[in-house]
Amino acid sequence: MATEPVGGPASPPDRPLWLAPDGWSIEILDQTRLPHQVVVQRLGTLDQVVEAIVTMQVRGAPLIGITAAYGLCMALMTDDSDMALTDAADSLLGSRPTAVNLSHAVHAVRDAALGARPGGRVEAAYVMAATLAQREVDACRSIGTHGLGLLRELSQGRRRAVQILTHCNAGWLATLRYGTALAPVYRAVEEQLPVHVWVDETRPRNQGWLTAWELEAGGVPHTVISDTMAAHLLQRHEVDIVIVGTDRTTRAGDVCNKIGTLSLALAARDAGVPFYAAVPSSSIDWSLDDWRAIPLEERGEEEVRWIRGVDATGLRREVSPGGTASQVRNLAFDVTPSRLLTGLITERGICPATREGLSECFPGLEPIDPSTR
Amino acid sequence: MATEPVGGPASPPDRPLWLAPDGWSIEILDQTRLPHQVVVQRLGTLDQVVEAIVTMQVRGAPLIGITAAYGLCMALMTDDSDMALTDAADSLLGSRPTAVNLSHAVHAVRDAALGARPGGRVEAAYVMAATLAQREVDACRSIGTHGLGLLRELSQGRRRAVQILTHCNAGWLATLRYGTALAPVYRAVEEQLPVHVWVDETRPRNQGWLTAWELEAGGVPHTVISDTMAAHLLQRHEVDIVIVGTDRTTRAGDVCNKIGTLSLALAARDAGVPFYAAVPSSSIDWSLDDWRAIPLEERGEEEVRWIRGVDATGLRREVSPGGTASQVRNLAFDVTPSRLLTGLITERGICPATREGLSECFPGLEPIDPSTR
């Protein structure tokens, strides 16, 4: 039986989402309030779930998937008809376009409901949501163990901590537990392998500060830098390995992730530093060969214009570093072609970023004909 | 006779520094207040000049040089002894380490003063400062004309505006007139060649918004992006050419510039997009063969932690997007090795980023034995 997510948050919280005491709604950490305030929000309707995804109160590809799964469950509580199911699924699928986890999760819950005995749709949906959640946790734990092996190798013969650079937040805030890119880091800390994490600020939404918050809470040595500084650190060999997450990885091994990832991959290649993506199978799009077909979300220009934070007195405020007349563009994701990746860290092990590499890790899963989904 | 800088600013201002009506102090646009407020500040003492350079009220390698030149003049007004001259020069040279323009300008004014007739040091210093200023303006104008040729070539056969990407601010705010990287853009606008400029935000100090302010005032179409988005635009061939400025270019053609430049160069190379630095001779360090010897300024972590801007009511504020517990690093410059540059746009023409290329543009200038400086 699936066990995630259950119960309330530990104190301090160590997970971003859990089933509420009522057993059917969920509670989340509002990530738009972090790292300054720990605010728990109850989501009890489909609309609330969609809103939380769109506004990035929940974010991170695996977490978006799980949140959407519970959103569909809640919709079925209200109306378990075929039409309501389709409408709810469409609404969730349209909330954010890039993370493939969203469609995987929505389709899995939908299929579970459609396959249920009469009157059993709601229960089947909740069981599937919990199963997906548990799978995500298991995948992250496993990614951590495989990635730990890489960090161990890198630590050989070094007198200093292994220097890891990451982008955005692919920690437990973005998943449910452990994280993807950060899972090896947390495993290293458990095993007392000395590590230090360089954290890209990750403009425009500054999710690097979420990573810093996580690492601080976990007692992991780390340093925040502007995104502009990463290539310099790589050039000077102050980084031993780059590990990032992914929102959608094609079956050819191309990695779509937070905007700015491509820059890092290019800088790592030029410096001869290994560059890995941590890829749970929930983030693999088995239907896509051509990364140019990945829908890349363009978000509002206000995210670039207005920077959220707290002032010196701790009050939440937004400031604009520029004027209002200029045009602004805000693409949220980019794609790192497979040729720039040293490998993929999956829950089934580390593989080359190729179709063959992924097929060997996930035999039988690939290809899934998209028309059957 | 040198003519720059003279008179007050036009309205709206079109230069960042001019000689005050008293004929010996200078007035500057306080660039820490831009783009939100146009504040003119009088600098009348050496200490005020050093402070303005350190706090980046004046910034941009050529402008730092000219400001320092006038600072040395002011010091001589107070005391024109050898010891005072040496102390003042040392004080200016220690204000910021990376831009070689600073030491070029300080040494030129010092040498002019030392070579003057008895009692004529102050006058000789002011004449040299004005000469340096005029040379900078002439160099920028010439860089604009040479760069315009590149833009014209790129416009051949295209149905859309030439797409230029730039980093930081290398416009007239950073020089005296025209700019370095932006000079070709302004010349293109004069010649009615359609251009559009992609402006990197340029974390952590967001000087991209200074560039946006300049371009807006000049009626130049432009779009501001986060630094993280540049590689993606290059990958999609939405950029035809990258032009950046420089704080110090070695005689081997390696380009030190604002942190984040290296990333752009790597992304441009991968995408096959030409990448140029606009290099006035005042930014060339003829004494350096090895770019690893360039002193790279590390600035305070508060520049990353605290973001300056205005709130929705127009009040100046600072916000912190993150917590206070994490360590932060803030290197202000990086180096793009010559191999990544398509060429250098100098006031003497466009040359390969090589020792031979620079020597052909500047015969006789290279090498200067650093021990004679």
Side-chain angles (χ1 to χ4, degrees):
Chain A
M1 178 58 198
T3 59
E4 292 279 348
V6 291
S11 178
D14 66 351
R15 61 198 69 185
L17 178 154
W18 56 93
L19 207 54
D22 62 20
W24 60 270
S25 61
I26 57 174
E27 291 179 339
I28 58 161
L29 292 185
D30 180 348
Q31 299 198 32
T32 65
R33 307 295 283 272
L34 289 173
H36 303 107
Q37 291 175 295
V38 177
V39 176
V40 172
Q41 183 163 337
R42 173 82 62 100
L43 304 178
T45 68
L46 173 70
D47 287 349
Q48 287 171 347
V49 167
V50 169
E51 176 76 4
I53 294 172
V54 168
T55 61
M56 294 174 66
Q57 291 180 302
V58 290
R59 45 148 295 284
L63 183 62
I64 289 171
I66 300 305
T67 310
Y70 281 101
L72 195 49
C73 294
M74 293 173 206
L76 287 167
M77 294 268 290
T78 309
D79 181 348
D80 71 352
S81 69
D82 283 10
M83 186 183 290
L85 179 58
T86 301
D87 286 352
D90 287 349
S91 168
L92 288 162
L93 291 170
S95 60
R96 291 194 71 191
T98 302
V100 74
N101 312 60
L102 177 63
S103 72
H104 284 166
V106 168
H107 289 136
V109 173
R110 181 199 63 184
D111 293 351
L114 290 174
R117 60 171 171 75
R121 285 187 167 182
V122 171
E123 187 191 346
Y126 272 98
V127 169
M128 177 53 77
T131 302
L132 294 174
Q134 184 63 42
R135 276 187 204 157
E136 209 63 74
V137 171
D138 293 344
C140 289
R141 187 186 290 129
S142 185
I143 285 170
T145 301
H146 295 301
L148 174 62
L150 286 177
L151 301 185
R152 269 198 206 291
E153 279 173 40
L154 289 167
S155 73
Q156 302 298 319
R158 280 181 215 270
R159 293 189 186 172
R160 56 165 171 76
V162 176
Q163 304 288 313
I164 300 144
L165 190 148
T166 193
H167 191 65
C168 196
N169 172 265
W172 61 257
L173 279 171
T175 57
L176 281 176
R177 304 286 302 276
Y178 314 111
T180 52
L182 292 189
V185 169
Y186 290 128
R187 287 286 291 121
V189 170
E190 279 174 16
E191 302 286 324
Q192 300 187 306
L193 182 73
V195 293
H196 168 266
V197 183
W198 294 100
V199 180
D200 267 3
E201 179 181 56
T202 315
R203 289 284 295 147
R205 287 190 67 111
N206 305 319
Q207 292 98 329
W209 287 105
L210 296 178
T211 295
W213 179 78
E214 262 196 41
L215 294 175
E216 181 63 30
V220 185
H222 65 282
T223 304
V224 178
I225 56 170
S226 63
D227 304 291
T228 47
M229 214 178 104
H232 175 73
L233 289 175
L234 285 157
Q235 182 190 47
R236 300 200 353 177
H237 295 282
E238 295 191 38
V239 175
D240 300 319
I241 185 172
V242 181
I243 311 180
V244 298
T246 179
D247 291 78
R248 187 184 297 234
T249 289
T250 68
R251 65 180 175 186
D254 306 300
V255 172
C256 176
N257 190 43
K258 180 57 52 194
I259 194 86
T261 303
L262 173 59
S263 273
L264 289 183
L266 290 164
R269 183 186 59 170
D270 195 65
V273 173
F275 182 94
Y276 286 88
V279 184
S281 56
S282 60
S283 295
I284 302 173
D285 187 343
W286 296 109
S287 74
L288 271 192
D289 271 318
D290 182 0
W291 58 264
R292 290 169 192 82
I294 298 175
L296 298 182
E297 181 178 12
E298 178 151 11
R299 294 184 61 88
E301 60 170 46
E302 72 282 358
E303 292 187 345
V304 177
R305 278 191 202 286
W306 291 97
I307 299 172
R308 280 186 193 170
V310 294
D311 68 16
T313 70
L315 272 181
R316 282 162 55 80
R317 291 193 185 279
E318 290 187 345
V319 299
S320 168
T324 55
S326 302
Q327 194 170 303
V328 168
R329 289 286 297 279
N330 180 23
L331 268 288
F333 299 94
D334 63 25
V335 181
T336 300
S338 57
R339 67 184 161 88
L340 297 176
L341 282 130
T342 310
L344 307 176
I345 311 172
T346 79
E347 68 263 39
R348 301 276 185 89
I350 295 167
C351 69
T354 60
R355 187 165 174 156
E356 297 69 33
L358 281 169
S359 294
E360 278 183 29
C361 274
F362 298 97
L365 263 184
E366 183 266 350
I368 292 171
D369 182 340
S371 67
T372 66
R373 290 162 67 207
Chain B
M1 179 56 199
T3 58
E4 293 281 344
V6 291
S11 178
D14 67 351
R15 61 199 69 185
L17 178 154
W18 56 92
L19 207 53
D22 62 20
W24 61 269
S25 62
I26 57 175
E27 291 179 340
I28 59 161
L29 292 185
D30 181 347
Q31 299 198 31
T32 66
R33 307 295 284 272
L34 290 173
H36 303 106
Q37 290 175 296
V38 177
V39 176
V40 172
Q41 182 162 340
R42 173 82 63 100
L43 304 179
T45 68
L46 173 69
D47 287 349
Q48 288 172 348
V49 166
V50 169
E51 175 77 5
I53 293 172
V54 168
T55 61
M56 296 176 65
Q57 291 179 304
V58 290
R59 45 148 295 283
L63 183 62
I64 289 171
I66 301 305
T67 310
Y70 280 102
L72 196 49
C73 295
M74 292 173 207
L76 287 168
M77 293 268 290
T78 309
D79 181 349
D80 70 352
S81 70
D82 283 11
M83 187 183 290
L85 178 57
T86 302
D87 286 352
D90 286 349
S91 168
L92 288 161
L93 291 171
S95 60
R96 291 193 73 190
T98 302
V100 74
N101 312 60
L102 177 63
S103 72
H104 283 166
V106 168
H107 289 135
V109 173
R110 180 198 65 183
D111 292 351
L114 290 175
R117 61 173 170 75
R121 285 187 166 182
V122 171
E123 187 191 346
Y126 272 98
V127 168
M128 178 53 78
T131 301
L132 294 173
Q134 184 63 43
R135 278 188 202 155
E136 210 63 75
V137 172
D138 293 344
C140 288
R141 186 186 291 130
S142 185
I143 284 169
T145 301
H146 294 301
L148 174 62
L150 287 177
L151 301 185
R152 269 199 206 291
E153 279 173 39
L154 289 167
S155 73
Q156 303 297 319
R158 280 181 215 272
R159 292 189 186 171
R160 57 166 170 78
V162 177
Q163 304 287 314
I164 300 144
L165 190 147
T166 193
H167 191 64
C168 196
N169 171 265
W172 60 258
L173 279 170
T175 58
L176 281 176
R177 305 283 303 275
Y178 314 111
T180 52
L182 292 188
V185 170
Y186 290 127
R187 287 285 292 119
V189 171
E190 279 174 17
E191 302 286 325
Q192 299 186 306
L193 182 74
V195 294
H196 169 265
V197 183
W198 293 100
V199 180
D200 265 3
E201 181 181 55
T202 316
R203 287 285 295 149
R205 287 190 66 110
N206 306 320
Q207 293 98 328
W209 285 106
L210 296 178
T211 295
W213 179 78
E214 262 196 40
L215 294 175
E216 181 62 30
V220 186
H222 66 282
T223 304
V224 177
I225 56 170
S226 62
D227 303 292
T228 47
M229 213 179 105
H232 174 74
L233 288 175
L234 284 156
Q235 182 189 49
R236 302 204 345 182
H237 295 283
E238 295 190 39
V239 175
D240 300 317
I241 184 172
V242 182
I243 312 180
V244 298
T246 179
D247 292 79
R248 189 185 297 234
T249 289
T250 68
R251 65 180 176 185
D254 306 301
V255 172
C256 176
N257 191 44
K258 181 56 53 194
I259 194 84
T261 303
L262 173 59
S263 274
L264 290 183
L266 290 163
R269 183 186 59 172
D270 195 65
V273 173
F275 182 93
Y276 286 89
V279 184
S281 55
S282 60
S283 294
I284 302 173
D285 186 344
W286 296 109
S287 74
L288 271 191
D289 271 319
D290 182 1
W291 59 263
R292 291 169 191 82
I294 297 175
L296 298 182
E297 181 178 13
E298 179 152 10
R299 295 183 60 89
E301 60 171 44
E302 73 281 359
E303 292 187 346
V304 177
R305 277 190 204 288
W306 292 96
I307 300 172
R308 280 187 195 169
V310 293
D311 67 16
T313 69
L315 272 181
R316 281 162 56 81
R317 293 195 185 276
E318 289 187 345
V319 299
S320 168
T324 54
S326 303
Q327 194 171 302
V328 168
R329 290 285 298 278
N330 180 20
L331 268 288
F333 299 93
D334 63 24
V335 181
T336 301
S338 58
R339 66 185 161 88
L340 297 176
L341 283 129
T342 310
L344 307 177
I345 311 173
T346 79
E347 68 262 40
R348 300 278 184 86
I350 295 167
C351 69
T354 60
R355 186 164 174 157
E356 297 68 34
L358 281 169
S359 294
E360 278 184 29
C361 274
F362 298 97
L365 262 184
E366 184 266 349
I368 291 172
D369 182 342
S371 67
T372 66
R373 291 162 66 208

